[in-house]
Amino acid sequence: NAGVTQTPKFQVLKTGQSMTLQCAQDMNHNSMYWYRQDPGMGLRLIYYSASEGTTDKGEVPNGYNVSRLNKREFSLRLESAAPSQTSVYFCASSLRTGVNYGYTFGSGTRLTVV
Amino acid sequence: DAKTTQPPSMDCAEGRAANLPCNHSTISGNEYVYWYRQIHSQGPQYIIHGLKNNETNEMASLIITEDRKSSTLIQPHATLRDTAVYYCIVRSGSEKLVFGKGTKLTVNP
């Protein structure tokens, strides 16, 4: 009963390096999301995928790219990491988009860019 | 999405009911009330949601006033593991969940 699995759990990057955060869900959910959480800022939506084959920008998409690899997997890529991208990243999924569906969140990836 | 107001912190004795209030006086007719919680260093956890009627599931009960301007999350028998930040969120059609500062609930032994 894994739910939403994120890898890695921790990562330190140097400015300018690239990396991909992985997310997989085993609940047969259609919709997947990437959020970041910063102290005092709450969660902010980066990108989401309403269904396999579609992606849309959220509130703070600059500096990120996403890939909905298949129904289970949704990855987040930082092409050239910046210190402002130091944050905790959460992946989430829901049965589908819409107001009547709750989200299941992963345990997060703690990223530090130095 | 409508804005919500929650007390910054609350305390509860272990085994007693934890009643967490939320004010959402500007809620509109098609907006749902959601509750999530976040235990330290973990991802947010969905608890319950509702539109007009009171709701109950295995985790908690949600009481929504008749005018829908406020709601209360009830955890009937709080345990130490329920210590967390509880977020009340009002959603319309947006995919963006707006998490405010929430209520830090401390369950004391």
Side-chain angles (χ1 to χ4, degrees):
Chain A
N1 192 18
V4 177
T5 303
Q6 292 184 236
T7 55
K9 294 191 183 303
F10 300 93
Q11 184 71 50
V12 178
L13 287 179
K14 293 182 179 179
T15 298
Q17 286 185 318
S18 62
M19 79 161 294
T20 300
L21 282 64
Q22 306 287 352
C23 175
Q25 52 90 10
D26 62 0
M27 297 170 287
N28 202 34
H29 283 175
N30 291 293
S31 303
M32 298 185 73
Y33 309 82
W34 277 104
Y35 280 85
R36 61 177 287 176
Q37 185 173 33
D38 303 300
M41 297 287 290
L43 274 78
R44 292 182 291 171
L45 179 63
I46 305 171
Y47 271 94
Y48 69 98
S49 171
S51 60
E52 186 178 355
T54 69
T55 61
D56 285 284
K57 295 179 179 179
E59 188 181 359
V60 288
N62 291 344
Y64 305 95
N65 286 302
V66 290
S67 295
R68 184 73 183 267
L69 303 170
N70 48 54
K71 190 171 185 179
R72 291 187 63 248
E73 299 172 287
F74 188 39
S75 63
L76 178 73
R77 183 161 177 83
L78 286 71
E79 291 291 352
S80 178
S84 61
Q85 294 178 305
T86 293
S87 188
V88 182
Y89 291 84
F90 290 105
C91 177
S93 71
S94 67
L95 183 59
R96 52 180 55 91
T97 57
V99 70
N100 199 19
Y101 299 96
Y103 291 11
T104 301
F105 283 84
S107 58
T109 294
R110 284 150 184 78
L111 176 66
T112 301
V113 182
V114 297
Chain B
D1 293 339
K3 183 178 176 180
T4 61
T5 303
Q6 299 177 254
S9 64
M10 294 183 65
D11 284 275
C12 176
E14 189 177 17
R16 304 297 294 268
N19 298 322
L20 295 117
C22 180
N23 181 286
H24 32 79
S25 58
T26 60
I27 194 170
S28 60
N30 64 343
E31 290 181 317
Y32 281 72
V33 179
Y34 274 78
W35 284 83
Y36 285 82
R37 72 180 183 182
Q38 190 169 22
I39 297 169
H40 182 61
S41 297
Q42 297 183 21
Q45 180 186 23
Y46 165 79
I47 301 173
I48 198 168
H49 74 282
L51 181 62
K52 297 180 185 177
N53 301 321
N54 299 336
E55 302 287 345
T56 295
N57 63 19
E58 64 277 7
M59 289 188 69
S61 294
L62 174 61
I63 308 297
I64 303 174
T65 58
E66 192 169 343
D67 63 8
R68 303 208 323 123
K69 293 186 176 183
S70 66
S71 61
T72 301
L73 179 75
I74 300 172
Q75 299 219 285
H77 305 289
T79 70
L80 299 179
R81 289 177 296 179
D82 294 321
T83 291
V85 179
Y86 287 75
Y87 297 97
C88 170
I89 298 166
V90 172
R91 286 187 69 193
S92 57
S94 170
E95 295 311 314
K96 181 179 67 175
L97 289 182
V98 179
F99 283 72
K101 295 189 183 299
T103 297
K104 181 173 173 54
L105 175 69
T106 302
V107 181
N108 300 304

